[in-house]
């Protein structure tokens, strides 16, 4: 099954920001496009707005004047649904209410031919439910574009329970012909991006609620150590706290209130107070005139240790050993398998976050995961009230000698980046195990949909087969609410290469 022919008319119903964006994508690709909106005159206004954006593309040299004029000639407002007769594809981008979408598609079935592809751009509703009342449900599919549609490359092509393979394939190939990067996805709450991305927000909020660190510090660690483009607090302020929380609640309810998708009480209070982010002037941060952005916690300079003793290597943080030597710090390596840690001159230990807490041990400082320890500009450390000041100072001085800013947070198991990445990896494995998507499509979706520095499976391979499982298992023991319980899929993945007994005993 191939993409729609460029001569085939495409219709978009709903002319808000997303509807206009989808229409522009189809129009620039070469299709005749018809716009419809239930509000009189709105379709004409949308056509004019699209024309103005085409003018700007010409000014920027991204579109020729001839191509713009041809596109304008293919764009037609439709005053009623009957004007969409003969279209080969109709994409809906109306309000996110199930009954509204169902009524629209039932009406469309009376207008378009039976071979017309019908698509919803819903981000939170079940594709199966939206198309469930149709006379020909097999031609119904989800085409979830990301805002702004003309700029962002990802499109989630979602197959409902009744969607024909031929319909999903045609939608996929059409999106690709439009210059987009489509990923195939089964109809699951949140689809791919909104399902797997929940821990990025949830774990940042959980660390804040546990008084482990303030928003500015958590955001800085996610950016400067984790390699994420934005921190969770600044990103949700940009998205809108009400919008982000609504998606979280929708996914949580759709998964029958699964603890792994639980909303944040702190975010709920923010929404209730009307602090919705940039659009209201206040969110986690203050955006009003004259307001200053709070700085992340950064430790004062400390003297680096003269040497460290490496016991068993540092696993994913092994690059630190070479970096320490380059900084003039002696590294004494012991062959004995005593774990993966550094022993400092004062006798204290430094270990990579593993889901346990500092308070459990005599004198331990944990450090957080980094995407790339050489490139990271900030590292978080955690210590308990019982950790000796000397150990914390030596750990701080060590990372400062490596050129890093240091943020000391509370004794939070799994810290910030480590617990976030482990949970993202877990949800990704579960999605693939349940047939939602392929590993390749999951990685593509998370890189292009939310700009993650690595896809979950690429990150998993870099960290090691059992890293995420071991961290979450330890976290679950310390916080057995169900939020951190590793999935069966992750358990199988972590133990797949282990030596097994011949039979249970």
């Amino acid at each position: 099954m191939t993409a729609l022919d460029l001569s085939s008319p495409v219709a978009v119903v709903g002319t808000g920001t997303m509807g206009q964006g989808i229409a522009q994508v189809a129009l620039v690709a070469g299709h005749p496009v018809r716009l419809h909106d239930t509000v009189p005159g709105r379709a004409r206004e949308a056509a004019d707005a699209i024309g103005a954006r085409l003018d700007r593309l010409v000014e920027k040299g991204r579109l020729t004047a001839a191509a713009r004029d041809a596109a304008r000639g293919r764009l037609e407002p439709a005053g009623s649904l009957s004007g969409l007769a003969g279209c080969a594809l109709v994409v809906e981008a109306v309000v996110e209410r199930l009954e509204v979408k169902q009524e629209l598609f039932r009406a469309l079935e009376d207008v378009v031919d039976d071979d017309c592809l019908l698509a919803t751009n819903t981000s939170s509703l079940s594709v199966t439910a939206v198309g469930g009342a149709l006379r020909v449900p097999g031609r119904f599919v989800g085409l979830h574009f990301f805002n702004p549609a003309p700029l962002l490359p990802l499109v989630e092509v979602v197959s409902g329970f009744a969607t024909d393979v031929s319909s999903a394939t045609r939608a996929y190939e059409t999106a690709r012909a439009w210059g987009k990067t489509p990923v195939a996805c089964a109809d699951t709450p949140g689809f791919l991006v909104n399902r797997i991305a929940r821990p990025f927000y949830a774990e940042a909020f959980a660390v804040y609620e546990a008084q482990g660190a303030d928003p500015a510090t958590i955001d800085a660690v996610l950016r400067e150590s984790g390699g994420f483009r934005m921190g969770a607090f600044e990103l949700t302020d940009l998205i809108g706290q009400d919008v982000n929380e609504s998606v979280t609640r929708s996914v949580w309810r759709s998964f029958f209130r699964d603890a792994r998708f639980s909303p944040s009480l702190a975010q709920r209070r923010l929404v209730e107070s009307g602090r919705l982010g940039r659009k209201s002037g206040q969110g986690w941060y203050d955006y009003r005139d004259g307001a200053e952005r709070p700085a992340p916690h950064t430790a004062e300079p400390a003297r680096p240790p003269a040497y460290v003793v490496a016991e068993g290597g540092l696993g994913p943080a092994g690059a630190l050993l070479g970096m320490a030597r380059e900084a003039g710090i002696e590294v004494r390596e012991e062959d004995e398998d005593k774990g993966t840690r550094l022993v400092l001159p004062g006798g204290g230990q430094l270990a990579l976050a593993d889901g346990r807490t500092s308070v459990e041990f005599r004198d331990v400082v944990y450090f957080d995961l980094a995407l790339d320890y050489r490139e990271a500009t900030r590292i978080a450390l955690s210590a308990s009230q019982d950790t000796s000041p000397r150990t914390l100072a030596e750990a701080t001085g060590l990372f400062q000698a490596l050129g890093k800013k240091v943020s000391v947070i509370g004794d939070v198991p799994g810290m910030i980046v480590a617990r976030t990445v482990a949970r993202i990896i877990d949800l990704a494995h579960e999605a693939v195990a349940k047939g939602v998507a392929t590993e390749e499509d999951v990685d593509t979706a998370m890189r292009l949909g939310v700009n993650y520095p690595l896809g979950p499976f690429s990150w998993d391979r870099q960290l090691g087969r059992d890293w995420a499982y071991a961290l979450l298992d330890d976290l679950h023991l310390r916080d057995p609410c169900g939020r951190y319980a590793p999935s069966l899929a992750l358990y199988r993945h972590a133990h797949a290469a282990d030596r097994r007994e011949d039979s249970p005993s």
Side-chain angles (χ1 to χ4, degrees):
M1 185 65 67
T2 58
L4 295 177
D5 189 89
L6 289 181
S7 64
S8 302
V10 172
V12 177
V13 180
T15 58
T17 301
M18 183 57 78
Q20 290 182 33
I22 296 170
Q24 181 180 328
V25 170
L27 190 65
V28 171
H31 289 273
V33 174
R34 301 175 194 173
L35 291 171
H36 174 69
D37 199 291
T38 56
V39 179
R42 187 70 60 81
R44 168 53 62 187
E45 293 174 3
D48 292 342
I50 293 171
R53 283 201 290 274
L54 296 179
D55 288 339
R56 289 195 290 274
L57 290 177
V58 173
E59 293 170 3
K60 295 177 180 179
R62 298 176 182 173
L63 192 69
T64 66
R68 174 200 59 196
D69 295 342
R72 279 180 166 169
R74 296 193 301 272
L75 183 60
E76 177 186 351
S80 66
L81 284 182
S82 60
L84 308 186
C87 285
L89 167 64
V90 181
V91 183
E92 162 275 316
V94 302
V95 64
E96 286 286 272
R97 289 171 52 192
L98 179 61
E99 66 276 10
V100 173
K101 294 178 186 290
Q102 288 177 327
E103 182 180 353
L104 168 64
F105 283 111
R106 280 194 291 264
L108 279 168
E109 278 200 309
D110 293 333
V111 172
V112 299
D113 296 333
D114 284 356
D115 61 352
C116 173
L117 195 62
L118 298 179
T120 175
N121 184 58
T122 184
S123 61
S124 61
L125 299 175
S126 162
V127 170
T128 301
V130 175
L134 293 182
R135 177 173 50 81
V136 187
R139 43 94 170 260
F140 188 75
V141 67
L143 276 178
H144 181 217
F145 289 78
F146 289 75
N147 195 25
L151 296 180
L152 295 186
L154 184 70
V155 177
E156 293 176 318
V157 181
V158 186
S159 293
F161 187 79
T163 302
D164 291 336
V165 172
S166 59
S167 297
T169 302
R170 172 161 286 189
Y172 184 98
E173 294 300 334
T174 298
R176 185 158 63 177
W178 290 358
K180 296 301 180 182
T181 302
V183 293
C185 173
D187 186 18
T188 183
F191 308 144
L192 283 182
V193 172
N194 280 331
R195 171 179 177 159
I196 297 173
R198 292 343 302 157
F200 179 74
Y201 314 107
E203 295 313 308
F205 299 159
V207 172
Y208 168 76
E209 290 175 339
Q211 300 188 51
D214 60 277
T217 299
I218 296 170
D219 277 353
V221 172
L222 286 168
R223 290 194 312 269
E224 300 175 43
S225 184
F228 294 97
R229 185 166 297 184
M230 298 181 74
F233 296 90
E234 57 190 344
L235 180 55
T236 52
D237 268 356
L238 178 63
I239 295 169
Q241 298 302 331
D242 52 340
V243 174
N244 181 260
E245 197 219 20
S246 176
V247 173
T248 298
R249 285 186 172 274
S250 174
V251 173
W252 174 61
R253 286 194 296 264
S254 297
F255 276 111
F256 308 106
R257 291 173 166 75
D258 187 326
R260 295 175 302 165
F261 301 99
S262 294
S264 161
L265 180 58
Q267 188 180 38
R268 174 93 291 258
R269 293 291 179 258
L270 206 66
V271 173
E272 289 174 340
S273 70
R275 299 188 176 192
L276 306 181
R278 289 180 178 271
K279 62 185 178 183
S280 69
Q282 285 181 286
W284 295 110
Y285 300 109
D286 192 338
Y287 300 93
R288 295 171 297 181
D289 291 343
E292 292 186 9
R293 181 73 172 263
H297 168 77
T298 302
E300 294 295 325
R303 185 185 302 276
Y307 69 90
V308 293
V309 179
E311 295 184 345
L314 291 177
L320 292 174
L321 301 181
M323 294 167 62
R325 291 189 180 97
E326 293 165 12
I329 298 171
E330 180 186 356
V331 177
R332 304 172 184 174
E333 295 191 60
E334 293 192 355
D335 294 333
E336 298 179 24
D337 185 12
K338 296 181 179 179
T340 54
R341 61 195 176 193
L342 295 177
V343 179
L344 300 165
Q349 299 174 46
L350 184 61
L352 175 62
D354 60 6
R356 295 181 289 181
T357 57
S358 294
V359 75
E360 300 172 49
F361 305 99
R362 182 180 60 82
D363 198 11
V364 169
V365 171
Y366 278 107
F367 64 94
D368 208 350
L369 181 69
L371 173 67
D372 184 326
Y373 282 97
R374 286 191 176 273
E375 297 297 323
T377 57
R378 183 180 298 272
I379 294 292
L381 303 179
S382 71
S384 76
Q385 65 273 20
D386 297 327
T387 304
S388 76
R390 176 175 176 177
T391 297
L392 183 56
E394 288 178 339
T396 299
L398 171 63
F399 281 103
Q400 289 173 340
L402 304 184
K404 317 300 180 189
K405 296 176 182 176
V406 173
S407 293
V408 180
I409 70 171
D411 190 13
V412 179
M415 302 190 67
I416 298 170
V417 179
R419 69 196 291 173
T420 300
V421 171
R423 288 207 59 218
I424 289 170
I425 289 172
D426 184 33
L427 292 186
H429 274 283
E430 183 184 53
V432 170
K434 292 190 173 181
V436 175
T438 65
E439 291 186 7
E440 181 181 3
D441 276 355
V442 168
D443 273 4
T444 298
M446 302 315 290
R447 285 189 298 100
L448 299 183
V450 278
N451 291 310
Y452 283 5
L454 285 177
F457 291 97
S458 295
W459 222 328
D460 185 41
R461 287 188 288 271
Q462 178 175 301
L463 293 169
R465 176 180 289 274
D466 63 347
W467 179 85
Y469 175 82
L471 187 144
L472 290 177
D473 194 40
D474 276 335
L475 242 174
H476 177 57
L477 288 173
R478 285 149 186 83
D479 188 358
C481 63
R483 181 191 190 104
Y484 302 106
S487 67
L488 179 59
L490 188 64
Y491 177 86
R492 286 173 170 157
H493 170 72
H495 292 83
D498 285 354
R499 189 181 303 277
R500 290 178 285 271
E501 300 289 339
D502 291 334
S503 62
S505 56

mmCIF file of all heavy atoms in Angstrom, residues 20 23 30 37-38 105 112 136 144 147 166 179 193 211 213 225 268 290 319 326 338 349 356 415 446 488:
data_model
loop_
_atom_site.group_PDB
_atom_site.id
_atom_site.type_symbol
_atom_site.label_atom_id
_atom_site.label_comp_id
_atom_site.label_asym_id
_atom_site.label_seq_id
_atom_site.Cartn_x
_atom_site.Cartn_y
_atom_site.Cartn_z
ATOM 1 N N GLN A 20 -4.402 24.034 11.470
ATOM 2 C CA GLN A 20 -3.720 24.840 10.456
ATOM 3 C C GLN A 20 -2.357 24.251 10.112
ATOM 4 O O GLN A 20 -1.945 24.237 8.950
ATOM 5 C CB GLN A 20 -3.551 26.276 10.952
ATOM 6 C CG GLN A 20 -4.837 27.066 11.036
ATOM 7 C CD GLN A 20 -4.606 28.499 11.494
ATOM 8 O OE1 GLN A 20 -3.571 29.093 11.196
ATOM 9 N NE2 GLN A 20 -5.563 29.058 12.226
ATOM 10 N N ALA A 23 -2.774 21.159 7.941
ATOM 11 C CA ALA A 23 -3.179 21.584 6.601
ATOM 12 C C ALA A 23 -1.985 22.136 5.828
ATOM 13 O O ALA A 23 -1.815 21.855 4.630
ATOM 14 C CB ALA A 23 -4.281 22.637 6.711
ATOM 15 N N GLY A 30 1.970 19.118 -1.618
ATOM 16 C CA GLY A 30 1.446 19.122 -2.981
ATOM 17 C C GLY A 30 -0.013 18.753 -3.137
ATOM 18 O O GLY A 30 -0.524 18.711 -4.262
ATOM 19 N N ASP A 37 -14.495 24.228 9.479
ATOM 20 C CA ASP A 37 -14.669 24.499 10.906
ATOM 21 C C ASP A 37 -16.140 24.783 11.147
ATOM 22 O O ASP A 37 -16.821 25.363 10.283
ATOM 23 C CB ASP A 37 -13.820 25.696 11.339
ATOM 24 C CG ASP A 37 -13.598 25.739 12.838
ATOM 25 O OD1 ASP A 37 -14.564 25.994 13.584
ATOM 26 O OD2 ASP A 37 -12.460 25.506 13.279
ATOM 27 N N THR A 38 -16.636 24.365 12.317
ATOM 28 C CA THR A 38 -18.062 24.569 12.605
ATOM 29 C C THR A 38 -18.394 26.036 12.848
ATOM 30 O O THR A 38 -19.546 26.434 12.716
ATOM 31 C CB THR A 38 -18.487 23.751 13.836
ATOM 32 O OG1 THR A 38 -17.645 24.101 14.944
ATOM 33 C CG2 THR A 38 -18.373 22.256 13.562
ATOM 34 N N PHE A 105 -17.206 12.122 13.073
ATOM 35 C CA PHE A 105 -16.876 11.048 12.137
ATOM 36 C C PHE A 105 -18.106 10.304 11.643
ATOM 37 O O PHE A 105 -18.135 9.829 10.496
ATOM 38 C CB PHE A 105 -15.857 10.097 12.769
ATOM 39 C CG PHE A 105 -14.462 10.658 12.773
ATOM 40 C CD1 PHE A 105 -13.857 11.030 13.965
ATOM 41 C CD2 PHE A 105 -13.774 10.823 11.590
ATOM 42 C CE1 PHE A 105 -12.573 11.554 13.968
ATOM 43 C CE2 PHE A 105 -12.489 11.344 11.576
ATOM 44 C CZ PHE A 105 -11.882 11.721 12.771
ATOM 45 N N VAL A 112 -18.255 11.231 2.759
ATOM 46 C CA VAL A 112 -17.103 10.741 1.981
ATOM 47 C C VAL A 112 -17.343 9.313 1.499
ATOM 48 O O VAL A 112 -18.219 8.604 1.993
ATOM 49 C CB VAL A 112 -15.816 10.791 2.836
ATOM 50 C CG1 VAL A 112 -15.519 12.227 3.264
ATOM 51 C CG2 VAL A 112 -15.927 9.871 4.054
ATOM 52 N N VAL A 136 -17.641 1.853 8.863
ATOM 53 C CA VAL A 136 -16.464 1.204 8.275
ATOM 54 C C VAL A 136 -15.256 1.544 9.157
ATOM 55 O O VAL A 136 -14.442 2.406 8.822
ATOM 56 C CB VAL A 136 -16.216 1.675 6.823
ATOM 57 C CG1 VAL A 136 -15.096 0.854 6.171
ATOM 58 C CG2 VAL A 136 -17.486 1.601 5.997
ATOM 59 N N HIS A 144 -1.124 11.303 14.934
ATOM 60 C CA HIS A 144 -0.817 12.266 15.991
ATOM 61 C C HIS A 144 0.411 13.084 15.618
ATOM 62 O O HIS A 144 1.538 12.627 15.727
ATOM 63 C CB HIS A 144 -0.598 11.543 17.320
ATOM 64 C CG HIS A 144 -0.295 12.480 18.450
ATOM 65 N ND1 HIS A 144 0.596 12.182 19.452
ATOM 66 C CD2 HIS A 144 -0.759 13.733 18.710
ATOM 67 C CE1 HIS A 144 0.660 13.201 20.295
ATOM 68 N NE2 HIS A 144 -0.143 14.154 19.853
ATOM 69 N N ASN A 147 3.114 19.580 17.925
ATOM 70 C CA ASN A 147 2.996 21.014 17.697
ATOM 71 C C ASN A 147 4.339 21.730 17.847
ATOM 72 O O ASN A 147 5.019 21.511 18.852
ATOM 73 C CB ASN A 147 1.977 21.592 18.700
ATOM 74 C CG ASN A 147 1.507 22.971 18.320
ATOM 75 O OD1 ASN A 147 1.534 23.349 17.166
ATOM 76 N ND2 ASN A 147 1.093 23.731 19.321
ATOM 77 N N SER A 166 -3.951 -2.255 5.980
ATOM 78 C CA SER A 166 -3.790 -1.458 4.762
ATOM 79 C C SER A 166 -4.012 0.026 5.032
ATOM 80 O O SER A 166 -3.326 0.878 4.451
ATOM 81 C CB SER A 166 -4.763 -1.945 3.686
ATOM 82 O OG SER A 166 -6.102 -1.852 4.133
ATOM 83 N N GLY A 179 7.210 14.278 4.214
ATOM 84 C CA GLY A 179 8.469 14.718 4.796
ATOM 85 C C GLY A 179 8.564 14.491 6.291
ATOM 86 O O GLY A 179 9.510 14.966 6.931
ATOM 87 N N VAL A 193 5.018 8.535 22.900
ATOM 88 C CA VAL A 193 5.716 9.635 23.572
ATOM 89 C C VAL A 193 5.086 9.971 24.914
ATOM 90 O O VAL A 193 5.775 10.041 25.933
ATOM 91 C CB VAL A 193 5.761 10.873 22.659
ATOM 92 C CG1 VAL A 193 6.309 12.081 23.420
ATOM 93 C CG2 VAL A 193 6.630 10.592 21.438
ATOM 94 N N GLN A 211 11.575 16.938 49.148
ATOM 95 C CA GLN A 211 12.482 17.991 49.592
ATOM 96 C C GLN A 211 13.940 17.625 49.326
ATOM 97 O O GLN A 211 14.848 18.016 50.059
ATOM 98 C CB GLN A 211 12.259 18.327 51.072
ATOM 99 C CG GLN A 211 10.845 18.815 51.361
ATOM 100 C CD GLN A 211 10.673 19.319 52.776
ATOM 101 O OE1 GLN A 211 11.441 20.148 53.250
ATOM 102 N NE2 GLN A 211 9.643 18.823 53.459
ATOM 103 N N ALA A 213 15.533 18.484 46.472
ATOM 104 C CA ALA A 213 16.161 19.620 45.808
ATOM 105 C C ALA A 213 15.066 20.557 45.307
ATOM 106 O O ALA A 213 13.892 20.170 45.203
ATOM 107 C CB ALA A 213 17.034 19.154 44.643
ATOM 108 N N SER A 225 23.746 17.316 33.433
ATOM 109 C CA SER A 225 24.255 15.970 33.666
ATOM 110 C C SER A 225 23.533 14.950 32.792
ATOM 111 O O SER A 225 24.155 14.106 32.158
ATOM 112 C CB SER A 225 24.100 15.588 35.143
ATOM 113 O OG SER A 225 24.661 14.326 35.410
ATOM 114 N N ARG A 268 -0.660 19.475 41.070
ATOM 115 C CA ARG A 268 -2.093 19.736 41.237
ATOM 116 C C ARG A 268 -2.321 21.048 41.983
ATOM 117 O O ARG A 268 -3.167 21.861 41.601
ATOM 118 C CB ARG A 268 -2.722 18.577 42.024
ATOM 119 C CG ARG A 268 -4.199 18.794 42.382
ATOM 120 C CD ARG A 268 -5.098 18.187 41.332
ATOM 121 N NE ARG A 268 -5.095 18.850 40.037
ATOM 122 C CZ ARG A 268 -6.060 19.679 39.620
ATOM 123 N NH1 ARG A 268 -7.077 19.969 40.408
ATOM 124 N NH2 ARG A 268 -6.024 20.192 38.420
ATOM 125 N N GLY A 290 10.613 41.808 35.695
ATOM 126 C CA GLY A 290 11.495 42.092 36.820
ATOM 127 C C GLY A 290 11.831 40.895 37.681
ATOM 128 O O GLY A 290 12.710 40.984 38.546
ATOM 129 N N ALA A 319 34.481 6.111 32.972
ATOM 130 C CA ALA A 319 35.309 7.172 32.388
ATOM 131 C C ALA A 319 35.898 8.085 33.445
ATOM 132 O O ALA A 319 36.911 8.755 33.203
ATOM 133 C CB ALA A 319 34.477 7.990 31.400
ATOM 134 N N GLU A 326 43.876 12.277 34.555
ATOM 135 C CA GLU A 326 44.213 13.449 33.752
ATOM 136 C C GLU A 326 44.221 14.721 34.586
ATOM 137 O O GLU A 326 44.948 15.671 34.266
ATOM 138 C CB GLU A 326 43.203 13.583 32.606
ATOM 139 C CG GLU A 326 43.293 12.460 31.586
ATOM 140 C CD GLU A 326 42.081 12.401 30.679
ATOM 141 O OE1 GLU A 326 41.284 13.365 30.696
ATOM 142 O OE2 GLU A 326 41.912 11.394 29.962
ATOM 143 N N LYS A 338 35.049 -5.907 45.149
ATOM 144 C CA LYS A 338 34.351 -5.414 46.346
ATOM 145 C C LYS A 338 33.165 -4.519 45.993
ATOM 146 O O LYS A 338 32.630 -3.833 46.841
ATOM 147 C CB LYS A 338 35.333 -4.637 47.224
ATOM 148 C CG LYS A 338 36.464 -5.491 47.787
ATOM 149 C CD LYS A 338 37.365 -4.645 48.673
ATOM 150 C CE LYS A 338 38.486 -5.490 49.268
ATOM 151 N NZ LYS A 338 39.391 -4.681 50.124
ATOM 152 N N GLN A 349 33.235 6.557 51.151
ATOM 153 C CA GLN A 349 33.084 5.934 49.838
ATOM 154 C C GLN A 349 32.232 6.805 48.924
ATOM 155 O O GLN A 349 31.348 7.534 49.377
ATOM 156 C CB GLN A 349 32.442 4.553 49.989
ATOM 157 C CG GLN A 349 33.258 3.590 50.836
ATOM 158 C CD GLN A 349 32.518 2.288 51.065
ATOM 159 O OE1 GLN A 349 31.961 1.716 50.140
ATOM 160 N NE2 GLN A 349 32.511 1.818 52.301
ATOM 161 N N ARG A 356 19.706 2.863 46.340
ATOM 162 C CA ARG A 356 19.809 2.805 47.789
ATOM 163 C C ARG A 356 20.082 4.207 48.344
ATOM 164 O O ARG A 356 20.287 5.153 47.586
ATOM 165 C CB ARG A 356 20.908 1.823 48.199
ATOM 166 C CG ARG A 356 20.597 0.386 47.806
ATOM 167 C CD ARG A 356 21.680 -0.589 48.234
ATOM 168 N NE ARG A 356 22.900 -0.428 47.445
ATOM 169 C CZ ARG A 356 23.992 -1.176 47.624
ATOM 170 N NH1 ARG A 356 24.006 -2.124 48.559
ATOM 171 N NH2 ARG A 356 25.049 -0.985 46.860
ATOM 172 N N MET A 415 18.530 9.237 43.103
ATOM 173 C CA MET A 415 18.862 10.624 42.795
ATOM 174 C C MET A 415 17.916 11.222 41.749
ATOM 175 O O MET A 415 16.704 11.059 41.874
ATOM 176 C CB MET A 415 20.338 10.732 42.430
ATOM 177 C CG MET A 415 21.240 10.227 43.576
ATOM 178 S SD MET A 415 22.976 10.573 43.372
ATOM 179 C CE MET A 415 23.015 12.359 43.504
ATOM 180 N N MET A 446 11.047 8.950 20.966
ATOM 181 C CA MET A 446 11.494 9.712 22.132
ATOM 182 C C MET A 446 12.571 10.737 21.756
ATOM 183 O O MET A 446 12.675 11.785 22.378
ATOM 184 C CB MET A 446 12.010 8.767 23.217
ATOM 185 C CG MET A 446 10.989 7.737 23.677
ATOM 186 S SD MET A 446 9.325 8.400 23.974
ATOM 187 C CE MET A 446 9.614 9.375 25.449
ATOM 188 N N LEU A 488 7.730 -6.948 34.312
ATOM 189 C CA LEU A 488 8.161 -8.298 33.959
ATOM 190 C C LEU A 488 9.055 -8.260 32.725
ATOM 191 O O LEU A 488 10.011 -9.029 32.611
ATOM 192 C CB LEU A 488 6.940 -9.183 33.714
ATOM 193 C CG LEU A 488 7.209 -10.638 33.316
ATOM 194 C CD1 LEU A 488 8.036 -11.350 34.387
ATOM 195 C CD2 LEU A 488 5.892 -11.366 33.077
#
